Amino acid sequence: MATFPTNIPEKTVERLSEYRRTLLAYRRQGVTHVFSHVLAGTHGITAVQVRRDLMLIGFSSDTKKGYDVEVLIDFIDKILYSEDKMNVAVIGMGHLGQAITKYFNGKQLKIRITAAFDIDPEKAGHTIEDIPCYDMSEFEEVVTSKGISIVIVSSSSKTATSLVVPIINAGIKGVLNFTSAPLNFPQGIVVENYDITTILEKVAYFVKAAEENNNN
Amino acid sequence: MATFPTNIPEKTVERLSEYRRTLLAYRRQGVTHVFSHVLAGTHGITAVQVRRDLMLIGFSSDTKKGYDVEVLIDFIDKILYSEDKMNVAVIGMGHLGQAITKYFNGKQLKIRITAAFDIDPEKAGHTIEDIPCYDMSEFEEVVTSKGISIVIVSSSSKTATSLVVPIINAGIKGVLNFTSAPLNFPQGIVVENYDITTILEKVAYFVKAAEENNNN
C-alpha cells in the first residue's frame, strides 16, 4: 500500500465517511459496481467532486462499469481506519451520552466506544448500554489500560471545561465535544466542537433568510 | 432596524450562534463588556475573525471597554431568530430523539421542539419529554395546526428516506437530519445532514494522520 495520506482536507474526509456508508448499503443490496454520478446523486453533489475526492486518496480504478464497490470500500477503510482498532470513551452518560453510545456501537464501525465515565454514583461502577461506566477519578488509569485515544464529551456544558486538564494528562489524541462550551486544547490534540444547538440555529437562520428573500 | 441580512455565510452563522451562548454566560456572570480578543480566545479564533463576523451583520458599536454584552446579544438575536417563535418537530423518538428533545428544550432557545412523531404505538399518543408524540399518519395535520417549519430527523436510517415525501408535502422549510442516510430535498428546503458517525470518523482520521506525521 502507498504511504498513508495525511493531508486530506476535512470536507473530503467527511465525504469519504459518507461514501463508505452508501457503498456498504449498495453491497448489502448486491450492487457490485457504481458510477461516480450515481454516488454523487445520492449525496447531492457533482460527479466531478466524487472523482476529485477519490483522486485525492489515490483511487483511480474506474472501469467501464464504474467503481468496484468492494474494492472502493476496502480502499476507503485503509484511509479512515487504523490497522489497530480505535477505542473511544464517552464522558457523561446522561441521555445524550447513552444515545451516542447506543448509536455508534449499533453500527458496524471499526471505531468502538469501550468505556464510559460519569460522576453520578448510580452510574459509575455499572454497565450502561453494554459499556462499563467508571468514575472520573479512574479516568487516566482506564484510558491507559484500555488504550483509549479518543473521547466524546457529552457531559453538561458546565462540567465540560473541567475535563480539559484530565483529558490532556491522560494523553488523549482526539476530542469530540457535544457540549455548548467550546473546549480549547494544545496543538497535537484534534478537537471537533459539535454543538447541535448551533446547527439547529443555522437551519433556522437559513429558513428565515429564504422567507425574507421570497417576501422581497 | 436595518434590512434583515439574508446572505451571511454558513460559518459566520454558526459562530454567531456560538458567540451568543458565550455572551449569555458572560451576562450570567455579571460581565457587561467584552473585547473582541477575549471573545476570540474563548472560541480559539482570531480577534480579526470576530470583528469581521460582527461587521458582516452590521454591528460596529465597539467601545473603549469592548462590546456591550447586552446590546450584542440583542443584535445577534435579531439575526438568528424570527420575531415569531420557530416551532420544531422531532421525527423518531428513540434514544437519540429523546436526548435531542431534552437537550434543546432544556436550553433557553427561542426555537422550541413542540411536537414529536414516532411509528411505535407505545409512543404515539403519549407525552415524552413533555412533548406530545403523534403517529406519522397525523404529520401533515399537526405541522399545519402547530405552525411547524423545521423537522429534526432522528429515526432509523432505513426509515429516513421514506420521510422525504411527507416532509415536502407538509410544507416544511428546514430539515436537520441526524441519520446516516443522506436526504435530498428540492430547492427551497434547507437541509443539514448531520451524521455524528461522520464526525467521529473525521476525528479518528486526523488522530491517525497526526500519529503518522510524528512517525515520519
Side-chain angles (χ1 to χ4, degrees), chain A residues 10 28 55 171 182:
Chain A
E10 276 194 48
R28 279 196 299 275
M55 263 176 53

Side-chain angles (χ1 to χ4, degrees), chain A residues 142-191:
Chain A
V142 175
V143 163
T144 308
S145 68
K146 293 201 166 228
I148 288 165
S149 52
I150 296 176
V151 292
I152 294 173
V153 180
S154 51
S155 66
S156 72
S157 298
K158 277 180 191 169
T159 307
T161 41
S162 72
L163 299 171
V164 171
V165 172
I167 287 171
I168 296 171
N169 287 346
I172 291 294
K173 297 295 175 203
V175 179
L176 180 45
N177 172 25
F178 279 101
T179 78
S180 55
L183 300 182
N184 292 315
F185 288 91
Q187 228 184 341
I189 299 179
V190 178
V191 187

